[in-house]
Amino acid sequence: MSPEIIQPPEWAWYYIAVYFFVAGTSAGAYFIGAMEELFGSGREREVSRAACYIAFPLLILVPIPLIADLGRPERFWHLFIYNQGGYPYLNLISPMSVGSWVLLIFSVCTLLSFLDNLVADRVISFPLFSRYYNRIPRRLYAVFGSLAGFFIAGYTGVLLNVTASPFWAATSPFMGALFIVSGASTGAAAISLYLIWRRRNSGGEVERLEAFDRVVMVSELVLIALLLILAGRTALPLMTLPFVAMFWLGTVALGIVAPLWFKYRFRRHPFGDAPVLAHYLCILAGGLLLRISLLQAGQL
Amino acid sequence: MAKGMFVDTTICTGCKACQVACKQWNGLSAEPAHFGKRPGVPYPVADNFTGDSYDNTGTLSATDWRHVRFIEQIDESRREKRWLFSSDSCKHCSDAGCLNACPTKAIVRTDLGNVVVQQETCIGCKFCIPSCPYGVISFSEETGTAHKCTLCNDRIHNGLGTACAKACPTGSIRFGELADLKKRADARLAQLKGKGEQARIYGYEEADGLNVFYLFADRPKVYGQPEDPVVPQRRLVLCSLVTILTALGVGAAALVSFRERLNGRDEEENHES
């Protein structure tokens, strides 16, 4: 392949990479919440409650950067309806087309879960709402939502892999896998931050969350190594400024290695003071910088 | 019946008549001026010369749907010299990466086999741009949409050939039915090989066949074309499978983390009671 002729799409990182990050975090958080909903005891719902309160508000932000990056933002609805025929349109071999539809489904699931929790927490007391949402099986939309969430977290990586851009193409087929794992990690960090903020971070569910997060972050490091080996010379931009600072220092060192070390070091008495808060913020920042680095390195 | 073009680069003279005809017929804006005034300099200064032979177009773009490449080949002793030309454009691939990627059905194939961007449907998502393995399709800031060669869609649906083929003074660019063009290409290839020259057809196998194909006198890379182009969507199944497997792995990790501890907790509670 002759890399010099491939034109970059010039997607703005502050729209597209931020979308990758926000959607991935929302999906990761929702999935973790759904897991507790499906496999937890049912007595402790702190994690699933936090997940629902995080996933939907984050997802509301998503259309803003997505639409803003379009050349013709007013035509965004063409993603769903073919404007010349007036019928719904889905292109099964275009990750962007399928992703748009699944984003819609995921939004509905997160909205249902969000409302359900508002009803359960008696924030919404309107009787009709309460009756209606109590009837919908909570676990059913947790299943559909987590499947859609997995898709949302992963399809953005697949979308990059199925282009002709030398770096993105060379990292095939692992970009989607990395984005899923990173989404799970940032989702877990977002839930933990929420629990600290709401002062509900002392139960056993947080312990479980930490155990899950440790496994996920080790997998993330393995996938990054695999990705770089596959990328070979096409990953050379990651060795230049500003990627050295963003990717190696921001994502790998401060976003994964340091928090992972912290998690193992303090796994017996994990919560309570400021460094804990800081390490979650590092994980979130690392997840954002990962998306920015991989997006921009493929557009040089 | 599929139509296309055969570009015999061995008889191209680099006159750029095709570029001019393309711009004129399709109403594409002109190149920016190559000379500009600079404060304090009394004479015009060349500000966007590429320094690459006679080529100041550089690449295909939203307003350059055709680009004549100039390739100067000089051996180390500087005795042997060769000047190659190649008029490049969209290949109208049989399996088109841009068309596969388009999420709005803005990119369609017509009954004559050419691939067209419907300007009124395009939303400017730019996904088609990196999906083209030939770097053909480009984004226009002016219209907010993607642009590329249409194979003169309006002309060919009214019984005319493409503007570039019509303007070509040497017959280097030929428009017609693919089967006829392939016969012509094979005959020309045999003629050149008979004379002992190195030549090859580019576009018979690539991306299931290109509707615009070339006769090159050197390796495709020399002409700025990918040696082994891959339609990006052919990686979709593998990428999806690996992503699904990873999702299952993360799911299993969550299951183990949540279940094990839950069971352990239940056992502890039972033990205590």
mmCIF file of all heavy atoms in Angstrom, chain A residues 22 56-66:
data_model
loop_
_atom_site.group_PDB
_atom_site.id
_atom_site.type_symbol
_atom_site.label_atom_id
_atom_site.label_comp_id
_atom_site.label_asym_id
_atom_site.label_seq_id
_atom_site.Cartn_x
_atom_site.Cartn_y
_atom_site.Cartn_z
ATOM 1 N N VAL A 22 -16.597 9.830 25.337
ATOM 2 C CA VAL A 22 -17.838 9.989 26.114
ATOM 3 C C VAL A 22 -18.764 8.791 25.890
ATOM 4 O O VAL A 22 -19.295 8.206 26.852
ATOM 5 C CB VAL A 22 -18.555 11.313 25.735
ATOM 6 C CG1 VAL A 22 -19.936 11.391 26.371
ATOM 7 C CG2 VAL A 22 -17.719 12.505 26.172
ATOM 8 N N PHE A 56 -26.863 7.879 30.943
ATOM 9 C CA PHE A 56 -27.780 8.702 30.152
ATOM 10 C C PHE A 56 -27.327 10.162 30.019
ATOM 11 O O PHE A 56 -27.285 10.689 28.912
ATOM 12 C CB PHE A 56 -29.209 8.605 30.696
ATOM 13 C CG PHE A 56 -30.194 9.414 29.911
ATOM 14 C CD1 PHE A 56 -30.477 9.080 28.595
ATOM 15 C CD2 PHE A 56 -30.808 10.533 30.450
ATOM 16 C CE1 PHE A 56 -31.357 9.834 27.826
ATOM 17 C CE2 PHE A 56 -31.691 11.292 29.698
ATOM 18 C CZ PHE A 56 -31.967 10.931 28.396
ATOM 19 N N PRO A 57 -26.968 10.836 31.134
ATOM 20 C CA PRO A 57 -26.513 12.225 30.973
ATOM 21 C C PRO A 57 -25.298 12.353 30.049
ATOM 22 O O PRO A 57 -25.198 13.309 29.287
ATOM 23 C CB PRO A 57 -26.158 12.653 32.404
ATOM 24 C CG PRO A 57 -26.978 11.772 33.265
ATOM 25 C CD PRO A 57 -27.055 10.467 32.555
ATOM 26 N N LEU A 58 -24.389 11.366 30.107
ATOM 27 C CA LEU A 58 -23.233 11.415 29.197
ATOM 28 C C LEU A 58 -23.687 11.270 27.750
ATOM 29 O O LEU A 58 -23.201 11.954 26.850
ATOM 30 C CB LEU A 58 -22.236 10.297 29.522
ATOM 31 C CG LEU A 58 -21.258 10.534 30.658
ATOM 32 C CD1 LEU A 58 -20.303 9.351 30.782
ATOM 33 C CD2 LEU A 58 -20.436 11.803 30.428
ATOM 34 N N LEU A 59 -24.655 10.385 27.546
ATOM 35 C CA LEU A 59 -25.106 10.111 26.183
ATOM 36 C C LEU A 59 -25.865 11.291 25.574
ATOM 37 O O LEU A 59 -25.870 11.464 24.362
ATOM 38 C CB LEU A 59 -25.998 8.859 26.183
ATOM 39 C CG LEU A 59 -25.860 7.989 24.944
ATOM 40 C CD1 LEU A 59 -24.439 7.501 24.765
ATOM 41 C CD2 LEU A 59 -26.810 6.827 25.002
ATOM 42 N N ILE A 60 -26.470 12.113 26.429
ATOM 43 C CA ILE A 60 -27.165 13.305 25.909
ATOM 44 C C ILE A 60 -26.166 14.227 25.208
ATOM 45 O O ILE A 60 -26.480 14.900 24.241
ATOM 46 C CB ILE A 60 -27.855 14.073 27.064
ATOM 47 C CG1 ILE A 60 -29.009 13.263 27.606
ATOM 48 C CG2 ILE A 60 -28.367 15.424 26.590
ATOM 49 C CD1 ILE A 60 -29.693 13.920 28.775
ATOM 50 N N LEU A 61 -24.905 14.201 25.701
ATOM 51 C CA LEU A 61 -23.886 15.081 25.132
ATOM 52 C C LEU A 61 -23.435 14.616 23.751
ATOM 53 O O LEU A 61 -22.926 15.393 22.946
ATOM 54 C CB LEU A 61 -22.653 15.121 26.053
ATOM 55 C CG LEU A 61 -22.868 15.572 27.492
ATOM 56 C CD1 LEU A 61 -21.585 15.391 28.277
ATOM 57 C CD2 LEU A 61 -23.291 17.037 27.508
ATOM 58 N N VAL A 62 -23.598 13.324 23.472
ATOM 59 C CA VAL A 62 -23.006 12.717 22.293
ATOM 60 C C VAL A 62 -23.400 13.347 20.954
ATOM 61 O O VAL A 62 -22.545 13.586 20.106
ATOM 62 C CB VAL A 62 -23.291 11.187 22.313
ATOM 63 C CG1 VAL A 62 -23.235 10.575 20.951
ATOM 64 C CG2 VAL A 62 -22.294 10.509 23.231
ATOM 65 N N PRO A 63 -24.687 13.632 20.718
ATOM 66 C CA PRO A 63 -25.035 14.176 19.396
ATOM 67 C C PRO A 63 -24.358 15.511 19.083
ATOM 68 O O PRO A 63 -24.154 15.831 17.916
ATOM 69 C CB PRO A 63 -26.554 14.366 19.478
ATOM 70 C CG PRO A 63 -26.992 13.499 20.594
ATOM 71 C CD PRO A 63 -25.854 13.444 21.556
ATOM 72 N N ILE A 64 -24.001 16.257 20.110
ATOM 73 C CA ILE A 64 -23.444 17.595 19.864
ATOM 74 C C ILE A 64 -22.157 17.513 19.037
ATOM 75 O O ILE A 64 -22.086 18.064 17.937
ATOM 76 C CB ILE A 64 -23.234 18.373 21.187
ATOM 77 C CG1 ILE A 64 -24.565 18.503 21.923
ATOM 78 C CG2 ILE A 64 -22.608 19.732 20.927
ATOM 79 C CD1 ILE A 64 -24.454 18.973 23.365
ATOM 80 N N PRO A 65 -21.097 16.808 19.523
ATOM 81 C CA PRO A 65 -19.881 16.744 18.691
ATOM 82 C C PRO A 65 -20.095 15.991 17.390
ATOM 83 O O PRO A 65 -19.500 16.347 16.367
ATOM 84 C CB PRO A 65 -18.877 16.004 19.583
ATOM 85 C CG PRO A 65 -19.669 15.276 20.585
ATOM 86 C CD PRO A 65 -20.900 16.098 20.802
ATOM 87 N N LEU A 66 -20.949 14.965 17.421
ATOM 88 C CA LEU A 66 -21.149 14.176 16.196
ATOM 89 C C LEU A 66 -21.741 15.022 15.082
ATOM 90 O O LEU A 66 -21.311 14.960 13.935
ATOM 91 C CB LEU A 66 -22.092 13.002 16.479
ATOM 92 C CG LEU A 66 -21.458 11.745 17.053
ATOM 93 C CD1 LEU A 66 -22.488 10.644 17.159
ATOM 94 C CD2 LEU A 66 -20.302 11.293 16.184
#
